[in-house]
Amino acid sequence: MSLDSIKIGGAGHKSSVKVRLLHAVVRKRKLKLHAENPGYYNLQWDGIPINDLDLIVTILSFSASLVWVSLPRQGLFLRNQEALSSPELAKAYAESFLLTEINPTPSSQVLSQNIISSLAGHPPSYPSSDYLVATARWLNGEDLVDAFGLPTPSLKARALVFAQCVFVCGFCYVFRSIPYLDRKKVTGLRRVFYRMIVEGKTGLGGEAGFEFQYVPQVNTKTEARKVDMREKWDQGVERRNMKVLVVIARVAGVVVIVGFWMFMMLLRMMY
C-alpha cells in the first residue's frame, strides 16, 4: 500500500470503485427481489440495502470497535498517537452503533456458526472450534455470543485464549518500547501477512478481483453448519499457547516459592 495506490487510477482506487459497483449491483438486485416478493426483504425496517449506515458500521467494526473493545479485552491499550485521527468522533459513532445496531437475528446465528465452522482446522493457525468459540466469547462478551447461539467452550480453550492474550501483550509492549524494533516489526509483519494471505498456497492465490460470484435469489438460503466442539487440533496457535501457559504456570510457581521463602526468612528474623 502506498500513496500512489489510492490516487485516481491507482490499484487501491480501482479496487474501491469495483467494490462500490459491486454494492450497487447487490442493492439493485435486492430491491428488485423485494418489489417482486415483498416478504424477501424488510425495506421499511432495514432501509435501502448497503446504505450509508451499513458502511459506517462496517468501517467502525474494523477500526473503533477494535480500539475500544477488542484490543482492551486482550490487555492492549493504544497511545493517543496510535489511535484514530479523530478519536472522540469515532468513539461516539462506535458507542451509538453498539447501543442501537447490535440486535442478532436468526441470520446472525447462521453466519456466526458458519464462520466458526469454516475457520476451524484451517491454515495458517489451524484453530479448533472450541478455541474459536472461546476467543469469540473473550472478545465479544458472553451475552452477545449467547445470542449468536454458539456453544460453551471448554475450560482448556479459555485458558489457551488467556495465554494468547499474555503472549500478544508481551510481544507488542516489548517491541513498542523500542522504536527501532517496533518499526522493523511492522514492516516485517506486513510483508509476512501479505505473502501468507495473498500469495501463499493456503491463501487467496492472488489479489482479489471482486467478481460478482453469488447472485441473490429468492429461493437461495444459507443453512447453518454444525459447530463441532469435539474436533481437536494439536498444532498451530493452540500448541504455541499451551507452551505459553506452561511458562506462565512455571513462573507463577517460582514466584510463589520465592515469596514463601522470603516470608519464612522474615519470620525467622523477627522471631
Side-chain angles (χ1 to χ4, degrees):
M1 181 62 67
S2 64
L3 181 59
D4 291 335
S5 178
I6 60 176
K7 290 181 179 179
I8 295 179
H13 175 259
K14 291 180 180 179
S15 295
S16 299
V17 173
K18 286 183 179 180
V19 171
R20 295 302 287 131
L21 289 174
L22 184 62
H23 289 166
V25 171
V26 173
R27 183 185 300 115
K28 182 179 180 180
R29 176 64 180 173
K30 295 197 72 169
L31 289 176
K32 180 181 179 181
L33 292 175
H34 168 73
E36 297 172 351
N37 304 272
Y40 172 76
Y41 179 79
N42 193 334
L43 184 62
Q44 183 177 1
W45 177 261
D46 295 318
I48 298 297
I50 317 180
N51 52 51
D52 288 344
L53 178 60
D54 294 333
L55 300 181
I56 291 173
V57 171
T58 300
I59 294 173
L60 291 173
S61 299
F62 291 93
S63 56
S65 64
L66 297 179
V67 174
W68 286 292
V69 180
S70 298
L71 290 179
R73 287 182 176 178
Q74 297 177 75
L76 298 172
F77 298 89
L78 300 185
R79 296 168 176 168
N80 291 332
Q81 65 268 28
E82 295 173 326
L84 307 172
S85 58
S86 53
E88 294 80 10
L89 181 61
K91 189 174 183 180
Y93 270 112
E95 291 174 345
S96 176
F97 102 78
L98 286 172
L99 288 172
T100 61
E101 298 300 320
I102 304 299
N103 183 28
T105 64
S107 296
S108 305
Q109 296 182 356
V110 172
L111 289 173
S112 61
Q113 293 173 28
N114 288 352
I115 289 173
I116 296 294
S117 298
S118 62
L119 291 176
H122 286 83
S125 56
Y126 298 95
S128 64
S129 297
D130 194 18
Y131 179 81
L132 289 171
V133 172
T135 302
R137 289 185 177 274
W138 189 288
L139 299 181
N140 298 289
E142 299 289 340
D143 293 338
L144 181 58
V145 178
D146 284 341
F148 286 147
L150 294 176
T152 302
S154 64
L155 182 61
K156 176 186 175 182
R158 293 180 186 271
L160 292 177
V161 174
F162 168 74
Q164 167 74 10
C165 293
V166 173
F167 173 80
V168 171
C169 285
F171 181 80
C172 292
Y173 284 130
V174 168
F175 275 86
R176 192 175 74 172
S177 63
I178 306 174
Y180 171 77
L181 293 180
D182 195 38
R183 290 191 295 269
K184 287 289 186 180
K185 180 204 70 175
V186 172
T187 303
L189 288 180
R190 283 178 177 173
R191 182 171 58 254
V192 169
F193 285 148
Y194 184 85
R195 290 177 178 174
M196 180 174 60
I197 297 173
V198 179
E199 300 177 341
K201 294 181 179 179
T202 58
L204 298 175
E207 295 184 355
F210 304 106
E211 291 83 4
F212 192 28
Q213 295 178 313
Y214 305 102
V215 181
Q217 303 285 346
V218 174
N219 298 325
T220 301
K221 184 178 181 181
T222 303
E223 300 293 339
R225 297 171 58 182
K226 181 177 177 57
V227 178
D228 190 356
M229 303 290 281
R230 297 170 298 176
E231 293 180 348
K232 304 299 179 183
W233 299 90
D234 187 23
Q235 56 181 317
V237 65
E238 293 182 58
R239 176 183 294 180
R240 185 203 63 198
N241 290 348
M242 179 59 72
K243 294 178 180 179
V244 174
L245 198 61
V246 171
V247 171
I248 294 173
R250 289 178 177 176
V251 171
V254 171
V255 170
V256 170
I257 292 173
V258 172
F260 181 75
W261 177 79
M262 293 179 66
F263 176 71
M264 295 301 296
M265 293 296 294
L266 181 62
L267 287 180
R268 288 183 60 184
M269 292 173 61
M270 294 176 61
Y271 299 103

